Amino acid sequence: MGTFWWRPLEDDLRRIASEVEREDLVIELKGAVANDEVLNFYRNHEISVFINVSTSEGVPVSIMEAISFDIPVVATSVGGTPEIVGGSCIVAS
């Protein structure tokens, strides 16, 4: 699983990932990835879930990209997210 994140969450995400002790689960924290590399990453890796924890969004292109690759999405209910995901994803408030 690859993960992209907003820099202020890096330490927390690394700590949480280091606490996971399952042989059948691989967590790979990718950090910042150039926009032109994201779609290639999706094409070449098996992604279990896309999680968007934004507190503010307009029209989240990252969610649309994940959906276009049939990646399950969990996202916060902000901005245009509920309209984009419809009933096909989990939206948390």
Side-chain angles (χ1 to χ4, degrees):
M1 170 174 60
T3 303
F4 307 92
W5 69 82
W6 187 47
R7 183 63 57 192
L9 298 176
E10 181 176 356
D11 291 339
D12 289 337
L13 291 171
R14 288 194 181 281
R15 180 186 49 76
I16 291 166
S18 72
E19 294 171 358
V20 174
E21 296 181 8
R22 290 185 48 181
E23 292 181 19
D24 61 333
L25 178 65
V26 176
I27 299 175
E28 182 180 350
L29 300 175
K30 298 297 290 180
V33 175
N35 288 342
D36 60 345
E37 295 177 19
V38 172
L39 299 182
N40 283 329
F41 183 85
Y42 288 165
R43 284 185 194 97
N44 298 312
H45 294 82
E46 182 179 333
I47 309 295
S48 301
V49 64
F50 178 90
I51 301 173
N52 182 309
V53 294
S54 292
T55 57
S56 175
E57 284 287 352
V59 179
V61 173
S62 59
I63 291 175
M64 292 188 288
E65 291 169 342
I67 291 170
S68 74
F69 281 88
D70 294 323
I71 300 169
V73 172
V74 175
T76 50
S77 182
V78 295
T81 301
E83 289 79 12
I84 290 171
V85 301
S88 63
C89 305
I90 297 172
V91 178
S93 52

